[in-house]
């Protein structure tokens, strides 16, 4: 109880205080509030990960019934990763927001929303009562909406924000329907009612319930085809918000799906194959679209979708493992998914912070205009490079560890499963490899175009390296990335309890999996470290050799051409041109081309804007049709008062008339009967 | 350990044998088999010219590329002796470590800000990305056939299969040779001896490298050749005693080098925009291998 009271106390005190102090100090207050909330929730979470599950039963009200707050190991894992990114996000953000100090308003709302979103995320992890869950979920959604629309003077930003708000609420409708369904059958809003529902109803109904939850949480997580809000919202938000959204907000969708997988303990095989199928499509689609983006933050947003796909592959494998009572597969699947959730929250937030530095240094996000920033912003460049390597899943960084676990799961499945079932696994393997390859392609493009070569367009302002307060949280994240990459066994042993929640009932054999994988990961960490050492050795030897020999500097070799300009460099678009040609049937590109014609040609040009085919087909097209249909009814809205009064009258007539007519008919029928 | 030493040793003469084969095939006198290595040592001693646009990435990338290839070689076993690194799923590590080198190779080409080198980088990125699934499905089907997920165990168990497994071995060899040619940017995909930068992949990426760095990159290619040769050799070595394994290994490597030389002498390079299709065909070939394995295991019944 004491925890809850102090949690709410700190929350409201800080919310009030943020309103009181002046714009410059609001960030500092928010940092302190976030730190205190994090410290409080982390102590509970660390205890839970050590085996002491935190439970609190509140009386609640007549409507909600008893409200239980539970922090079990699964919640605790998510609470810890939320806290880490929330802290780095706010320390970075406090400095980032100082660039907007000339903007008159919006600071109070921004920082209040940040603290509220953080608190909401934590509450979602702990609340186990459907109604209260929906309330805290809503708090989180709305405060995230305010975070996104900080630059509300831009139409694009507000549009993206409203797009996010509507889609999130479609998700909430799905969740509400699902929870109401459960409570109408069992009469309780508590999460414990869900297993009750499952054991009393047909398996098909449980599967439908799972689907409802999957769609509801999937919209938050960004599974294709529910991802369309993501590439709009991320570029519109300030960078630290994009980092936090991509790092932890979409992960709460993953938490929801995992929680429901845990509660709806039936149909695991069907659920597993379904999630696996959707995830492979999500992953491949996400990275395919990421490659063709020009806007750096949009590119990163599509990569979030890709990584949700990888996490989903892990969850799918875990479910298949549960469905076939294979402890190894279940363990590897869930461990891979949970670890990748943490990993992605680290490197993705780092990438967005890096993008924020670039945005504030150059005031553009278009990769075609950037270039050569490694000279002006060396720290940002190296940090971005490390994050890029990590997201590509390359050793010695953390992304490799979690992808390796998922690979192990896939190979285990392929090796041990009967024929028809393994086919989807080989498709998933193909997908995962393709995702890896395309991610490397994409990040060589992004890093190369932004940081290497020379700037392609004359900069508006001279780019400068960001200040220390922005770099320190970034280095903190890099520390975490490297620690997981080189000492993965530590984190795997922490994962024992959260994963055990799923695999526990498979018996003692589930525990036998862990030592084996820890051994393998020991190898991985060790050899990843060795790779670093070998590189260092070769580089040192090379440097010593170069001191003896003569080294000089000259222009880049242009095959004999001596006056190259920055425009002659290979651009990001031309870098991916071969790929674009190859993948064109699957993509949707808007091209504008003006050829060189005539004897005295005027200015020619060629632009390509990448579009999202799924969005066009699933959102824009139906909406367009709906609007065309509604337009036909627009004669009703003619703006004349007399007509509106007529509508009112007609409505009242209907209201009174219909029951009256029914009464008459009934009377007549009775009359006939009596004859 | 044995495999590491042997691969490093054979890498010293590998290009030499390829060049020798090519010169015999074209009726030239040609250089001796030690010539490529002499060139590389000469490069190690030379100074370097760096482009003014380049940064630290350009300086460190060749070292990382070389280190990644060395690391990958450590994973490879030799007959019944394990590689220096061996654990369940080590071929995933193998592929990803090589990818680290590739990543740096690509960004170091972009670092020069040249129009040519970006083009090479783009092609390298695309082609190696397309070749990756073929390798993984190949290893997946070998794993399925033998029931293991590390190079050493797969190759040890592979040997004891039926005659059909040797047939599969031939398909696997073909896929590996082709992957090797793609990864090293050799003949059917790229022609290292072409005279026009627009038609190159690998050579155009390293236009600006010189001195020690160029030597590292050149020798990394030799090592990569020997590495894939060792993978192919392992398919046929099995659990033989060491005094048989080593000569067999060396002769397979020499044979592989001669095959590469002959391939380069008598085949023409594909059109650049058809390369992608060719590489995708490789993936479907590895799927064919996968279904072959399923058939051998009787999973269809």
């Amino acid at each position: 109880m004491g925890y809850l009271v102090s949690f709410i106390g700190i929350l409201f005190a800080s919310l009030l205080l943020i309103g009181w102090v002046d714009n410059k100090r609001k960030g500092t207050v928010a940092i302190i509030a976030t730190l205190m909330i994090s410290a409080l929730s982390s102590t509970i979470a660390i205890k839970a990960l050590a085996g002491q599950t935190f439970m609190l039963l509140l009386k609640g009200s007549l409507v909600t019934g008893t409200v239980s707050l539970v922090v079990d190991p699964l919640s605790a894992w998510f609470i810890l990763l939320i806290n880490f990114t929330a802290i780095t996000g706010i320390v970075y953000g406090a400095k980032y927001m100082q660039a907007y100090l000339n903007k008159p308003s919006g600071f109070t709302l921004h920082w209040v929303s940040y603290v509220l979103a953080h608190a909401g995320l934590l509450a979602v992890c702990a609340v186990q009562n459907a109604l209260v869950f929906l309330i805290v979920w809503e708090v989180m959604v709305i405060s995230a909406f305010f975070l996104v629309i900080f630059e509300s003077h831009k139409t694009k930003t507000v549009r993206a924000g409203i797009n996010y708000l509507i889609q999130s609420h479609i998700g909430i409708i799905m969740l509400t329907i699902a929870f109401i369904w459960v409570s109408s059958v069992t009469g309780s809003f508590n999460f414990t009612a869900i297993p009750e529902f499952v054991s009393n109803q047909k398996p098909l109904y449980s599967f439908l319930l799972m689907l409802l939850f999957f769609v509801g949480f999937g919209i938050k997580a960004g599974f294709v085809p529910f991802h369309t809000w993501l590439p709009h919202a991320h570029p519109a938000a300030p960078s630290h918000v994009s980092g936090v959204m991509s790092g932890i907000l979409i992960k709460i969708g993953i938490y929801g799906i995992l929680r429901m997988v845990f509660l709806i303990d039936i149909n695991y095989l069907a659920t597993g194959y379904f999630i696996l199928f959707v995830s492979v499509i999500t992953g491949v689609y996400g990275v395919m679209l990421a490659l063709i983006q020009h806007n750096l933050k949009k590119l990163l947003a599509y990569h979030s979708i890709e990584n949700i796909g990888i996490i989903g592959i892990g969850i799918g494998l875990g479910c298949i493992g549960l469905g076939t009572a294979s402890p190894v597969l279940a363990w590897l699947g869930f461990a891979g998914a949970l670890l990748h959730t943490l990993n992605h929250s680290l490197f993705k937030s780092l990438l967005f912070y890096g993008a924020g530095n670039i945005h504030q240094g150059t005031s553009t996000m278009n990769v075609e205009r950037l270039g050569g920033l490694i000279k002006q912003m060396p720290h940002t460049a190296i940090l971005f490079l490390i994050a890029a390597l990590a997201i590509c899943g390359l050793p010695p960084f953390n992304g490799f560890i979690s992808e390796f676990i998922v690979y192990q799961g896939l190979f285990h499945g392929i090796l041990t499963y009967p024929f028809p079932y393994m086919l989807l696994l080989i498709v998933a393997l193909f997908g995962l490899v393709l995702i890896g390859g395309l991610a490397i392609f994409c990040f060589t493009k992004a890093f190369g175009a932004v940081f290497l070569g020379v700037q392609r367009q004359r900069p508006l302002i001279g780019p400068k390296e960001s200040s220390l307060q922005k770099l320190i949280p970034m280095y903190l994240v890099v520390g975490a990335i490297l620690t997981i990459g080189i000492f993965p066994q530590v984190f795997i042993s922490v994962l024992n309890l959260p994963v055990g929640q799923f695999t526990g009932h498979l018996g003692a054999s589930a525990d036998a999996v862990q030592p084996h994988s820890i051994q393998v990961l020991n190898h991985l960490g060790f050899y990843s470290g060795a790779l670093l050492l070998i590189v260092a050795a070769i580089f040192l030897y090379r440097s010593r050799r170069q001191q003896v020999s003569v080294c000089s500097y000259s222009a880049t070799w242009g095959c004999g051409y001596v006056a190259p300009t920055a425009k002659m460099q290979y651009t990001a678009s031309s870098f991916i041109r071969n790929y674009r040609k190859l993948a064109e049937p699957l993509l949707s590109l808007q091209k504008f081309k003006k050829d060189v014609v005539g004897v005295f040609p005027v200015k020619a040009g060629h632009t390509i804007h990448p579009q999202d085919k799924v969005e066009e087909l699933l959102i824009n097209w139906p909406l367009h049709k709906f609007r065309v249909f509604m337009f036909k009814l627009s004669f009703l809205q003619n703006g004349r008062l007399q007509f509106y009064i007529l509508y009112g009258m007609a409505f009242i007539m209907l209201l009174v008339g219909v029951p009256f007519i029914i009464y008459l008919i009934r009377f007549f029928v009775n009359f006939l009967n009596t004859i | 350990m044995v495999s590491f030493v042997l691969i490093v040793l054979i890498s010293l003469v590998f290009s030499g044998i390829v060049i020798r084969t090519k010169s015999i095939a074209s009726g030239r006198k040609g250089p001796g088999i030690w010539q490529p290595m002499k060139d590389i040592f000469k490069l190690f001693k030379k100074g370097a010219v760096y482009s003014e646009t380049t940064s630290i990435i350009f300086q460190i990338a060749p070292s990382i590329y070389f280190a990644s290839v060395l690391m990958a070689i450590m994973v490879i076993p030799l007959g019944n002796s394990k590689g220096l690194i061996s654990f369940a799923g080590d071929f995933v590590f193998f592929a990803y470590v090589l990818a680290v080198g590739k990543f740096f190779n690509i960004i170091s080409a972009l670092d020069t800000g040249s129009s040519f080198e970006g083009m090479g980088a783009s092609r390298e990125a695309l082609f190696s990305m397309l070749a990756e699934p073929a390798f993984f499905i190949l290893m997946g089907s070998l794993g399925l056939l033998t029931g293991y997920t590390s190079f050493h165990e797969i190759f040890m168990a592979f040997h004891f299969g039926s005659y059909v497994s040797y047939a599969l071995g031939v398909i696997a060899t073909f896929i590996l040779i082709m992957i090797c040619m793609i990864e090293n940017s050799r003949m059917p995909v790229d022609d290292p001896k072409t005279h026009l930068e627009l038609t190159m992949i690998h050579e155009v990426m390293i236009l600006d490298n010189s001195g020690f760095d160029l030597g590292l990159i050149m020798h990394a290619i030799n090592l990569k050749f020997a590495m894939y040769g060792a993978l192919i050799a392992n398919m046929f070595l099995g659990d033989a005693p060491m005094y048989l394994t080593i000569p067999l290994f060396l002769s397979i490597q020499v044979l592989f080098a001669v095959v590469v030389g002959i391939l380069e002498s008598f085949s023409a390079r594909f059109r650049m925009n058809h390369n992608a299709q060719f590489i995708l065909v490789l993936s479907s070939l590895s799927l064919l291998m996968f279904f072959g394995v399923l058939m051998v295991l009787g999973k269809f019944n």
Side-chain angles (χ1 to χ4, degrees), chain A residues 173-240:
Chain A
I173 290 171
M174 295 293 173
L175 296 183
T176 314
I177 293 172
F179 281 129
I180 288 177
W181 190 15
V182 172
S183 88
S184 68
V185 173
T186 59
S188 160
F189 280 116
N190 222 318
F191 275 15
T192 47
I194 296 175
E196 204 182 308
F197 174 93
V198 170
S199 55
N200 292 333
Q201 298 289 314
K202 283 185 202 160
L204 177 66
Y205 290 164
S206 307
F207 186 67
L208 286 179
L209 185 73
M210 184 68 214
L211 280 191
L212 272 176
F213 277 124
F214 184 81
V215 174
F217 289 122
I219 289 177
K220 183 102 261 174
F223 279 98
V224 172
F226 317 116
H227 68 284
T228 49
W229 64 272
L230 231 141
H232 294 291
H234 281 54
S239 291
H240 62 290

Side-chain angles (χ1 to χ4, degrees), chain A residues 117-141:
Chain A
H118 180 209
L121 282 166
L122 294 175
V124 164
C125 292
V127 172
Q128 299 228 336
N129 175 297
L131 280 184
V132 183
F133 182 87
L134 285 175
I135 292 170
V136 289
W137 185 271
E138 183 74 49
V139 167
M140 175 194 78
V141 165

Side-chain angles (χ1 to χ4, degrees), chain A residues 291 374-375 382 385 388-389 392-396 400 403-404 407-408 411-412 414-420 422-423 426 429-430 432-441 443-445 447-449 451-454 456 516 519-520 523-524 526-532 534-536 538-543 545-546 549-559 564-566 568-570 574-580 582, chain B residues 41 44-60 62-64 66-68 70-71 74 84-93 96-97 99-100 102-104 106-108 110-123 125-127 129-130 132-134 136-137 139-141 143-145 147-149 197 207-208 210-213 216 272-273 276-277 280 283 287 290-291 294 299-300:
Chain A
L291 250 169
I374 193 169
K375 297 194 186 66
I382 296 302
L385 177 64
L389 288 167
C392 292
L394 296 175
F400 176 61
E403 281 193 31
F404 183 82
Y407 269 117
Q408 267 193 318
F411 280 115
H412 181 81
I414 290 171
L415 260 54
T416 53
Y417 272 51
F419 164 61
M422 81 205 317
L423 279 185
I426 202 96
L429 176 68
F430 193 92
L432 194 59
V433 176
L434 208 60
I435 290 171
L438 284 167
I440 291 175
F441 198 176
F443 274 97
T444 47
K445 164 197 147 176
F447 185 78
F451 290 103
L452 303 177
V454 283
R456 287 172 176 80
H516 176 68
Q519 211 183 356
V520 169
H523 282 295
L524 270 192
F526 179 72
Y527 296 131
S528 297
L531 178 67
L532 284 182
I534 295 179
V535 169
I538 295 176
F539 192 64
L540 275 181
Y541 179 69
R542 170 186 173 279
S543 309
R545 278 308 275 266
Q546 297 221 314
S549 49
V550 192
C551 289
S552 60
Y553 285 83
S554 168
T556 299
W557 169 242
C559 302
T565 68
M568 290 183 191
Q569 283 179 98
Y570 228 53
S574 42
F575 186 70
I576 53 134
R577 185 176 172 277
N578 285 329
Y579 158 80
R580 204 187 65 221
L582 208 63
Chain B
F41 276 114
F44 281 149
K45 283 182 213 147
K46 277 191 171 180
V49 183
Y50 293 105
S51 156
E52 282 144 358
T53 24
T54 56
S55 61
I56 177 78
I57 301 288
F58 188 76
Q59 309 259 344
I60 201 167
S63 306
I64 294 178
F66 194 76
S68 77
L70 277 185
M71 203 75 196
M74 288 182 197
L84 281 173
I85 300 173
S86 178
F87 52 88
D90 56 3
F91 59 86
V92 179
F93 182 72
Y96 272 72
V97 158
V100 175
K102 224 175 294 164
F103 189 102
F104 275 92
I106 292 167
I107 60 173
S108 100
L110 292 174
D111 198 11
T112 57
S114 138
S115 47
F116 297 105
E117 285 169 57
M119 192 168 57
S122 159
R123 289 171 182 166
L126 181 70
F127 295 155
M129 178 231 18
L130 291 174
E132 210 106 305
F136 272 86
I137 293 177
M139 290 320 291
S141 27
L144 179 64
L145 185 67
Y148 294 106
T149 54
E197 285 83 354
L207 271 180
D208 262 275
S210 53
F212 193 85
D213 289 347
L216 279 182
M272 205 52 91
N273 50 356
Q277 293 160 6
L280 279 177
S283 289
L287 271 179
F290 180 72
F291 285 111
L294 283 181
K299 292 248 185 187
F300 284 120

